[in-house]
Every structure is written in structure tokens, then in C-alpha cells.
Amino acid sequence: FVGSFAFSFTIRMSSSAAQLHILKLPENPFEKYKEDEEYQWLRYRWYLVAEEEEEEDSDNNTSSSTTKKKIQPGDVVCFPILNTGAGEFECLRFVDTKRRPDGKWLLLDGSGDIEMPGFPQSIVEMVGGKQNVRDKYKKALDDMLEHCSSCTMEDILGGDDDEFWQDPPMDTTTEYHETGEWTIPYQIDNEEH
């Protein structure tokens, strides 16, 4: 916001596990920003515009993969188009703990070193510390990996992911582009990846 002042508030995440949202971008960023050889667009502030009401599957009254889900602080967002093959976590973003007054959610980069996720400080604080990250994120990350790579965290880590979850990596290096922003509508990605 240039020349304006915005308020935001922090929402504590409930004790349930984070939801996974597999979404598509409004346009292919690799084509849109093809002149950007340093991939600065990855460091833009990405804002998600999401529906307020969760739509329920009429058959069994539960959300399906083709149904828009209500965005909650700390949810996992996956954009499969971002996966280039360099690592399984290129597509990973977390919904920030704060919602902007205009209703948009900042998406925090969770791609870490792309081989392993990096949990933003605000996300770790929201769940009450590193010791609670597994309970909140194991299922969502395994579901994301299954969808995009047909594997799980245990597969990536050679059959045992306990050590990873005991001390999950923090993302302390993300620096956002000074002025770049990207507003993204909530669009479910139903394509096979």
C-alpha cells in the first residue's frame, strides 16, 4: 500500500490440521515473466482472493477436491504449475496468519530450499512452536506431495520422517520484492500433474 495505512489482525489457528488447497494461477508465470531471468516474480507479494463460504459436496456433505474450501490462517496452498522438477516444494505457499482489510490473504513462501519445505516464523508461532508443526502440516504436505509427485515426506526422507518433524526447517531467508504484487483468484486446479 503506497500512501495508505492498513490494519490487520492475527487469527489463532484451531487445533485441527491445515487444509490443502491445490490451485491454479491465472496465467503461466514462466511465460508472463520470461524476461525475468532472476525469477524476481517469485519474491512478489502474492495475495489470494478467496471465497468466504465453503461449498459442500451435495452427496456426502463434505468438501471434495473440486469444491472451494474456506481459507483459514496457516492453510497450505499448492500451485502445481510452479514445479519445474528441481524439488518437490517449489509449489508450496502458506496462508498468512493475518488477513488484509480488503479481504485478501498474503501467501507466504514455503518452498524453503525447494528440496524441503521452510516454515515461516509467523506460521510456527501461530501453531505454538516447532513441536506442533507436525500435527498441523504432515497430512497437508503428504497430500500435496501425493498429488504433485506421487510420494510422501517419508518417501523423500528414505522411509522415516520423524527427525524432520522433530526439528522442522524454518524459512528465515525470504525477502519480498519491494514493489511487486500479484493478486490471485481462488481457482481449483483439477488437472493431473
Side-chain angles (χ1 to χ4, degrees):
F1 292 113
V2 176
S4 66
F5 187 75
F7 292 97
S8 62
F9 55 94
T10 301
I11 303 171
R12 287 299 254 181
M13 187 172 184
S14 69
S15 60
S16 62
Q19 294 185 93
L20 171 62
H21 304 268
I22 299 174
L23 305 180
K24 61 180 158 182
L25 294 171
E27 54 196 308
N28 184 329
F30 296 104
E31 292 174 12
K32 180 177 180 177
Y33 300 109
K34 62 185 171 192
E35 303 299 320
D36 179 6
E37 294 177 5
E38 295 181 14
Y39 298 100
Q40 290 297 310
W41 58 270
L42 285 171
R43 299 293 171 219
Y44 285 3
R45 285 177 179 82
W46 293 26
Y47 293 103
L48 182 63
V49 178
E51 301 294 322
E52 273 305 296
E53 297 301 318
E54 180 174 348
E55 298 172 12
E56 294 185 350
D57 187 299
S58 58
D59 294 335
N60 61 12
N61 219 23
T62 59
S63 295
S64 71
S65 63
T66 59
T67 304
K68 289 184 177 181
K69 301 174 192 171
K70 186 174 181 180
I71 295 291
Q72 297 293 322
D75 277 356
V76 172
V77 177
C78 167
F79 295 104
I81 195 170
L82 296 178
N83 284 340
T84 65
E88 283 77 19
F89 296 95
E90 295 173 287
C91 62
L92 177 62
R93 300 291 183 272
F94 293 97
V95 176
D96 196 8
T97 60
K98 301 170 190 145
R99 188 173 191 174
R100 290 176 21 152
D102 62 6
K104 297 177 186 175
W105 292 97
L106 176 64
L107 297 179
L108 304 172
D109 185 7
S111 61
D113 68 359
I114 70 171
E115 294 292 333
M116 285 293 135
F119 294 91
Q121 181 70 35
S122 61
I123 295 297
V124 173
E125 289 173 1
M126 180 185 68
V127 300
K130 282 186 167 187
Q131 70 276 9
N132 298 320
V133 170
R134 178 185 201 145
D135 292 340
K136 300 296 182 193
Y137 292 105
K138 179 174 176 32
K139 180 172 180 3
L141 292 182
D142 278 345
D143 289 348
M144 181 193 84
L145 289 168
E146 178 68 32
H147 179 84
C148 294
S149 306
S150 299
C151 65
T152 65
M153 288 293 288
E154 287 180 353
D155 296 332
I156 292 170
L157 296 166
D160 185 6
D161 63 355
D162 283 338
E163 188 175 327
F164 171 85
W165 289 113
Q166 288 174 9
D167 189 23
M170 304 274 292
D171 178 15
T172 57
T173 61
T174 299
E175 293 182 23
Y176 292 99
H177 190 273
E178 290 179 20
T179 59
E181 284 190 14
W182 200 5
T183 299
I184 303 162
Y186 189 105
Q187 297 175 326
I188 295 171
D189 188 337
N190 292 320
E191 297 175 21
E192 290 294 319
H193 298 279

